[in-house]
Amino acid sequence: MYKLNKFTHFIIDGDNTILFNLQTEAFIVLNKELSEFVSAYKDNIGALENQHIELFQQMQEKEFVIPAEKNEVASMITKWKELDNDSSNFSMIINPTLGCNLRCWYCYEKHDNKNIMKATVINSIYRLIEKKVNLPKMKSLNISFFGGEPLLGFENVVLPILSFASEKCKRKRLELNTNFTTNGVLLTDTIVTSLEQVGLTSPATFQISLDGNKTYHDRSRIGVNHEPTYDIIVSNIIEAAKRHHMVFVRLNYTAENAETFVDVLDDFCKLPLETKKFIHFNFQQIWQDQSNDIHERIDYLKELFRNEHFVVESDKIYHRHCCYADKENNVVINSDGNIFKCTARDFLPHNKEGYLSEEGEIIFNETFERRMAVKYSNTACLNCKVLPICNGGCSQIKLESIQHDKCYCKMNEQEKDDLIIKCLKERILQQSNSE
């Protein structure tokens, strides 16, 4: 006995119908005759096997057709939980300092440039690393650096931790990778060279933001003494990419600066293809800007960047929002030793979800337990047509929500249908770009 996967959607496209499986992101284009054929057997899909074996097998292969007894929601959440609780990898995001060398207008953090991680916390991190690399199922360790500006603590915090981790991982033959969320101003040749020599499994990667062209960026991302930063950041991005370090450039747009990213493209488009493949762009609307009438313009800009052979990252709304904060084996260690899960909230005591003991043990509190419990408990999400790509967003949203039995995203049925079509278009675009 068989049934249609509940996440199978029939989308009319002229004379054709596109079958789109939101769970697997697979799609099949049917002509009018085949579309009518499938529709006729929609409520008794097993009978299609005797009428059109080739089509039935294709639908079965792409999981449009599944065994009648299979619970597609339960099986999907089981897979998600396995990924969330994967014990073969441990990831930590470390804040060497909450201080920063820039004063961006939209930043939510209160910077204290005197607050650098103390030796006692660093020693606790060493002990944590030792405990993790000795676990029998451990295969990889990922250490990311956030802040504040993490490179302010490169010599005293970052380099010692990575050097210690490298030695321990080599002994256990484990992978060690690192990533930096940095403004890029301090990403000097000396720092890049140090990272190349520390013994990582793969080259360090960086996420760096630009706030428009030189004029807009230098008005937004200014130094402590109001010095301009655009030219040095662009130069550092290019130099890192030339040395085969992947750089994810976040383009922070508003209604005011969106048009200026054409100039940003001009500053990168003359690079050789070998360098371009190490620079990925991601357009992100600054959260304080609520403009809804610029999305078509941003789509046009994305296409301009793609035409110049740059990778433009897809919007997260088209895929399951699997946030690092949702994963049990991923923690944020603040400069004071407190444990957090989300980097998009202030690192204040009332937001912490535990602390790192002197012995290198992570001691979680009740907030962490509530976060883990709320991830898959919303009945509205479990019965929703866009569950595979939404699930209500990240656990931080759910943790802060007052109502846990309604749509966290406040979408109506039409908005959900629109989201499904956007996801399909993105999937078609990805396939055409890979061919």
Side-chain angles (χ1 to χ4, degrees), residues 226-251:
H226 299 279
E227 63 271 23
T229 63
Y230 182 85
D231 288 338
I232 188 170
I233 293 173
V234 169
S235 175
N236 288 345
I237 290 171
I238 292 172
E239 289 306 310
K242 284 181 177 178
R243 295 170 68 159
H244 294 185
H245 291 271
M246 189 66 72
V247 185
F248 299 90
V249 183
R250 175 171 168 149
L251 302 178

Side-chain angles (χ1 to χ4, degrees), residues 109-323:
E109 292 182 10
K110 299 174 178 63
H111 298 299
D112 178 5
N113 282 15
K114 297 179 181 179
N115 182 3
I116 298 288
M117 182 176 284
K118 293 182 173 59
T120 53
V121 179
I122 295 174
N123 287 332
S124 295
I125 292 174
Y126 291 164
R127 295 186 183 104
L128 173 63
I129 290 172
E130 279 196 289
K131 291 178 184 294
K132 293 300 181 182
V133 299
N134 285 315
L135 293 175
K137 293 184 179 181
M138 186 62 63
K139 294 180 180 178
S140 62
L141 177 66
N142 187 77
I143 305 178
S144 300
F145 294 93
F146 193 74
E149 171 48 52
L151 296 182
L152 286 171
F154 186 79
E155 291 294 333
N156 296 329
V157 183
V158 174
L159 195 54
I161 289 175
L162 287 179
S163 298
F164 181 89
S166 175
E167 179 187 346
K168 298 300 178 181
C169 287
K170 282 180 181 176
R171 288 183 182 179
K172 293 291 184 177
R173 297 183 180 179
L174 304 179
E175 289 188 9
L176 173 64
N177 299 295
T178 191
N179 167 268
F180 292 80
T181 299
T182 170
N183 56 47
V185 173
L186 301 177
L187 191 59
T188 62
D189 175 77
T190 300
I191 284 180
V192 174
T193 299
S194 295
L195 290 171
E196 290 171 346
Q197 295 173 345
V198 80
L200 300 167
T201 303
S202 56
T205 63
F206 307 94
Q207 178 179 301
I208 300 173
S209 298
L210 294 173
D211 287 4
N213 65 6
K214 178 176 172 59
T215 299
Y216 275 84
H217 177 97
D218 284 343
R219 200 160 58 191
S220 175
R221 296 179 77 79
I222 57 174
V224 175
N225 298 316
H226 299 279
E227 63 271 23
T229 63
Y230 182 85
D231 288 338
I232 188 170
I233 293 173
V234 169
S235 175
N236 288 345
I237 290 171
I238 292 172
E239 289 306 310
K242 284 181 177 178
R243 295 170 68 159
H244 294 185
H245 291 271
M246 189 66 72
V247 185
F248 299 90
V249 183
R250 175 171 168 149
L251 302 178
N252 293 327
Y253 69 88
T254 65
E256 183 180 2
N257 75 358
E259 299 290 337
T260 73
F261 286 105
V262 173
D263 299 331
V264 175
L265 178 59
D266 287 341
D267 292 329
F268 287 95
C269 67
K270 295 181 178 62
L271 294 173
L273 282 175
E274 177 62 22
T275 302
K276 284 183 175 180
K277 72 180 184 181
F278 288 97
I279 303 176
H280 290 196
F281 291 96
N282 187 344
F283 285 81
Q284 291 290 328
Q285 188 171 16
I286 291 177
W287 64 274
Q288 291 95 335
D289 182 77
Q290 301 297 317
S291 306
N292 292 316
D293 57 351
I294 57 174
H295 299 308
E296 287 189 7
R297 179 58 180 168
I298 295 300
D299 288 341
Y300 172 72
L301 288 169
K302 289 179 182 179
E303 198 59 32
L304 290 182
F305 276 76
R306 290 187 177 112
N307 289 341
E308 290 294 337
H309 307 289
F310 287 108
V311 172
V312 178
E313 300 288 337
S314 301
D315 290 342
K316 290 181 180 178
I317 62 170
Y318 302 135
H319 311 281
R320 184 209 166 195
H321 191 98
C322 183
C323 177

Side-chain angles (χ1 to χ4, degrees), residues 10-13 15-19 28-32 35:
F10 291 68
I11 299 173
I12 305 300
D13 182 30
D15 291 334
N16 298 327
T17 297
I18 302 176
L19 292 187
I28 301 174
V29 180
L30 303 177
N31 59 28
K32 186 177 181 181
S35 173

Side-chain angles (χ1 to χ4, degrees), residues 348-399:
L348 297 174
H350 67 269
N351 286 332
K352 74 177 184 179
E353 301 192 28
Y355 67 93
L356 182 63
S357 74
E358 290 184 6
E359 294 74 28
E361 294 282 354
I362 296 173
I363 312 299
F364 287 115
N365 62 20
E366 183 185 347
T367 303
F368 170 79
E369 300 299 335
R370 287 195 292 113
R371 178 189 293 276
M372 293 296 106
V374 78
K375 291 191 299 183
Y376 306 113
S377 61
N378 186 350
T379 54
C381 288
L382 298 179
N383 293 310
C384 181
K385 67 174 77 172
V386 295
L387 172 65
I389 59 172
C390 178
N391 189 32
C394 71
S395 57
Q396 187 67 33
I397 292 173
K398 298 171 185 175
L399 194 64

